[in-house]
Amino acid sequence: SKMKSVVFALLISCASAFTMAPMAKPTTSLTAELQSMAGATAPLKGFDPLNLATLGSEETLLWFRAAELKHGRVAMLATTGYLVQGAGFHFPGNLATGTTFESLSSMKPFDAWDAVPDSGKAQILFTIFLAEVISESKGVHYTKGGDLPTIVFPPIDFSGVDAATVATKRNRELNNGRLAMIAIMSFIAATNIPGSVPALAGNAAF
């Protein structure tokens, strides 16, 4: 469909815009760096069974970290949204003419997405694209020694927080994001493949 083509084009443009040339770096050095990065906490400190940290260069490792951070944040929003909707809460009024938030809240996530008008999908995707461009364009890029991507909206200022507290919050954000990625994948599986997640079997929200 036309909308699918637009989505594919956006994904390709995002990926190509931030592709970087690989640079060789000793494997042992990259592995050691992984152990010292934020998020390397118990009980799975330095968990990397596929040795992804040794692919490419230090810049590649930083790109992986930024990707994990962003996906974790999105997954936390998705998990929270799913639980809120599953509990029966929703916005009042209409999303579009003939499409109420109440009707969307009674649907499975993929069905609800299909029910959103194409113009609404385009606005959502453009907002995501804009947030990505803004986060990737701030100051020195994180693969060049700059700060990792920050939350675009609402902006949060940690400049007055001491380093130890910031480090703890970073570990918590990464670990909560990892758990949320597992959670939302479980929710989607339970919704679309009955019985695939025994703990959620029979739950009306799935």
Side-chain angles (χ1 to χ4, degrees):
S1 68
K2 184 176 180 182
M3 178 53 64
K4 289 182 179 179
S5 299
V6 172
V7 174
F8 182 74
L10 278 172
L11 291 173
I12 292 297
S13 63
C14 288
S16 60
F18 304 116
T19 300
M20 61 191 128
M23 296 173 61
K25 187 170 182 177
T27 299
T28 53
S29 176
L30 287 173
T31 302
E33 187 170 341
L34 175 66
Q35 298 291 334
S36 64
M37 292 179 77
T41 58
L44 300 175
K45 184 173 183 178
F47 181 72
D48 184 22
L50 299 180
N51 291 320
L52 296 179
T54 62
L55 297 178
S57 65
E58 182 179 354
E59 291 184 359
T60 309
L61 181 59
L62 290 170
W63 188 86
F64 283 155
R65 168 42 53 87
E68 179 186 29
L69 188 59
K70 290 180 181 180
H71 283 85
R73 288 168 178 168
V74 171
M76 285 188 280
L77 289 173
T79 300
T80 302
Y82 201 115
L83 292 174
V84 169
Q85 177 174 307
F89 297 101
H90 56 77
F91 289 113
N94 297 341
L95 173 69
T97 303
T99 305
T100 65
F101 284 107
E102 183 178 5
S103 66
L104 293 176
S105 70
S106 64
M107 301 178 187
K108 293 181 178 181
F110 292 150
D111 294 334
W113 175 253
D114 287 338
V116 175
D118 286 348
S119 58
K121 292 186 178 101
Q123 292 175 56
I124 293 170
L125 293 170
F126 178 74
T127 301
I128 294 171
F129 174 75
L130 188 62
E132 180 73 2
V133 170
I134 292 173
S135 68
E136 292 284 340
S137 305
K138 286 185 175 181
V140 179
H141 197 262
Y142 51 81
T143 60
K144 305 295 183 183
D147 294 331
L148 286 166
T150 55
I151 298 174
V152 176
F153 182 84
I156 302 175
D157 183 14
F158 287 109
S159 60
V161 182
D162 65 90
T165 301
V166 170
T168 299
K169 290 182 179 294
R170 284 177 177 167
N171 286 332
R172 289 174 178 172
E173 180 183 30
L174 285 162
N175 287 329
N176 288 334
R178 290 162 181 165
L179 182 60
M181 286 188 275
I182 295 172
I184 194 61
M185 287 189 290
S186 299
F187 292 174
I188 292 173
T191 301
N192 295 280
I193 309 173
S196 59
V197 185
L200 300 177
N203 190 309
F206 303 95

